[in-house]
Amino acid sequence: MLDPITKFLTSSYNKTGTLSSPRPIVLMYHGTTLSNPSSEYSIQSDRFAEHLKYIDKNGWQTILFRDLLSDAPLAPKTIILTFDDGYANNYDGAFIPILDYGMKATWFITTSC
């Protein structure tokens, strides 16, 4: 059974096997917890690692939002990874695995409530 992210990435292709949209896909996360997350926007760190593995194995390229300002064409399989709030668990659960895969991500850090 495919999780929602994998199902979405897989369904982004048309019947000829090409990407149906030339625009990047933005994946937004919040926390990356060791146990079951308390928010629907957070994900267990093991599951997030599976997302990264899928992204890497299937030839997706990660970029930053600032890369959209360039005139350079985007790769057909482009993803922007984002994290809201800057939870402490993002360091071990997301930042380190992203570095291990040589990927890029953007964090939107909350400094005050």
Side-chain angles (χ1 to χ4, degrees):
M1 176 177 194
L2 294 177
D3 65 86
I5 297 297
T6 307
K7 184 184 262 185
F8 177 76
L9 293 177
T10 304
S11 68
S12 297
Y13 291 93
N14 60 31
K15 292 180 181 179
T16 64
T18 58
L19 195 62
S20 54
S21 171
R23 291 180 229 132
I25 295 171
V26 179
L27 301 180
M28 182 269 304
Y29 300 92
H30 281 256
T32 49
T33 62
L34 290 175
S35 59
N36 289 331
S38 59
S39 164
E40 66 183 301
Y41 300 109
S42 295
I43 189 170
Q44 199 164 351
S45 57
D46 291 349
R47 174 69 84 171
F48 180 70
E50 290 174 14
H51 287 191
L52 294 181
K53 183 177 179 179
Y54 180 90
I55 289 167
D56 183 61
K57 180 180 174 186
N58 289 281
W60 289 84
Q61 174 184 334
T62 57
I63 65 168
L64 303 174
F65 277 111
R66 70 176 179 217
D67 297 331
L68 297 174
L69 300 173
S70 169
D71 289 334
L74 295 176
K77 296 169 107 177
T78 300
I79 290 179
I80 300 175
L81 298 173
T82 70
F83 295 84
D84 287 352
D85 303 324
Y87 292 119
N89 59 31
N90 286 171
Y91 182 76
D92 288 326
F95 180 69
I96 297 300
I98 286 169
L99 287 181
D100 289 344
Y101 277 101
M103 294 181 181
K104 301 175 184 179
T106 300
W107 269 264
F108 297 99
I109 307 296
T110 301
T111 59
S112 180
C113 292

